[in-house]
Amino acid sequence: MAERYGLGGGDMGRQIRVPAALLAALLVGGAGCSGPAVPDGAGGGDPEGKPSASSAAPPAGGPAGGAPTGGDVLPGLVTAAEARARLAALKVAPAGTMAGYSRARFTHWAEQGDRCDTRETVLQRDGAEVKRDGECRAVSGRWKSLYDGAVVTDAGELDIDHVVPLAEGWRSGASGWDAARRKAFANDLTRPQLLAVTAASNRSKGDQSPDLWQPPDRSSWCQYGRAWTTVKSAYELTVTEPEKKMLTTMLDTCTS
């Protein structure tokens, strides 16, 4: 079952952000040139959350006035070289049973403060020109879906994907975790586990591992392979042989 509303296009060039204070100083000094502030914005899960109305997204998305662009769109990604090393170190084992699994055993979305939950926090992080209402719901913005490259301007068309789906986590070790660790896994904002993507791509993925589903936009494979490996390594989850083989193929698409 698709990771509905849960917590990415390809490897794009990084952008340099100039602090607002420095821009102001340059203008006062007659530098005569400044750019717009860089806004921000964010599958599989369910919705929640909400900060102040019409707040501009914090840095992490793309330039103002356009869909997000730039390099890595996910936080905490390790390099391709590190991902290869971590993949080699992961324990290989057959997929475990789904006995006892329920999405309800992975608490999501957690409150993140200022009336916002994890879903709304990711929408803000992953988007450009994101504005929110008094309940922290994204009412406008632009998002680029990593999996299919689609540009979206309606947050309602986005799911927050768990890169490593909750069910996949269960099959590869999370069945033995306590509730607190499962909640952390389902709401992890520091690692590349959550991202805003089109609902269509998220539901196409469902709870499948990389050997069974790959992002249709092949340019995203490097980030996806690194993200999946980063998360599985951080949570000491297992991989299957076919999964490991496809992750190797994805990492081989990285240019460095």
Side-chain angles (χ1 to χ4, degrees), residues 2-233:
E3 295 290 319
R4 175 79 168 103
Y5 295 117
L7 276 264
D11 288 324
M12 301 162 279
R14 289 185 180 279
Q15 62 186 10
I16 298 174
R17 300 183 179 88
V18 180
L22 177 56
L23 285 175
L26 289 173
L27 288 171
V28 172
C33 187
S34 69
V38 180
D40 52 289
D46 304 17
E48 265 184 67
K50 304 120 191 164
S52 59
S54 67
S55 59
T69 59
D72 294 339
V73 298
L74 286 161
L77 276 177
V78 299
T79 64
E82 177 64 17
R84 291 186 184 97
R86 294 192 183 194
L87 180 59
L90 287 176
K91 180 181 178 181
V92 176
T97 176
M98 288 295 290
Y101 171 75
S102 167
R103 286 182 60 80
R105 302 190 70 173
F106 293 80
T107 302
H108 62 286
W109 301 115
E111 290 297 326
Q112 298 293 341
D114 199 14
R115 305 177 73 185
C116 294
D117 64 13
T118 302
R119 171 179 166 81
E120 297 300 337
T121 300
V122 176
L123 286 172
Q124 178 82 348
R125 183 198 73 192
D126 287 2
E129 293 189 320
V130 177
K131 292 185 178 182
R132 304 190 282 202
D133 63 17
E135 296 301 310
C136 195
R137 292 182 293 254
V139 295
S140 65
R142 294 180 181 85
W143 294 265
K144 185 171 183 179
S145 171
L146 180 65
Y147 295 163
D148 52 14
V151 174
V152 177
T153 58
D154 179 357
E157 297 177 6
L158 298 166
D159 282 357
I160 304 305
D161 180 44
H162 291 97
V163 171
V164 176
L166 305 181
E168 168 61 24
W170 184 270
R171 291 189 293 265
S172 57
S175 60
W177 295 349
D178 61 19
R181 187 163 177 80
R182 287 195 291 267
K183 180 179 180 179
F185 179 73
N187 297 275
D188 194 338
L189 294 170
T190 62
R191 299 181 181 89
Q193 166 67 335
L194 300 170
L195 116 128
V197 296
T198 59
S201 65
N202 183 44
R203 294 166 200 181
S204 171
K205 172 186 172 181
D207 65 358
Q208 299 176 91
S209 54
D211 51 307
L212 300 175
W213 183 89
Q214 304 86 42
D217 183 350
R218 192 181 176 94
S219 68
S220 71
W221 283 19
C222 176
Q223 282 197 63
Y224 189 70
R226 288 158 59 206
W228 187 283
T229 303
T230 299
V231 172
K232 282 228 161 174
S233 174

